[in-house]
Amino acid sequence: MNRLLILALLLPAEAFAASFERPIPQPQTDAAEFWFLLASIALIAALIAVQMLVNRR
């Protein structure tokens, strides 16, 4: 019975979470900026294509 009480007192100590640490934003790399530019151009091209398709009907 004594061991069960000690075990019950020790287990909740492991359940406490660590304090929150704010994430530090990382700077954009040149490769990330290039792929974002490429994706933005592709999105604009797709929107223009959809607009032309809708106007034709």
Side-chain angles (χ1 to χ4, degrees):
M1 185 69 175
N2 226 359
R3 289 182 186 173
L4 185 63
L5 181 61
I6 291 172
L7 184 63
L9 291 175
L10 291 178
L11 284 180
E14 296 174 0
F16 292 119
S19 63
F20 177 74
E21 296 179 17
R22 292 185 66 116
I24 299 171
Q26 299 296 321
Q28 289 272 342
T29 63
D30 290 338
E33 288 184 9
F34 168 74
W35 286 112
F36 183 78
L37 174 67
L38 197 66
S40 298
I41 292 171
L43 176 64
I44 292 170
L47 288 173
I48 290 171
V50 167
Q51 180 65 31
M52 291 172 61
L53 182 68
V54 169
N55 278 340
R56 206 168 47 168
R57 288 185 175 203

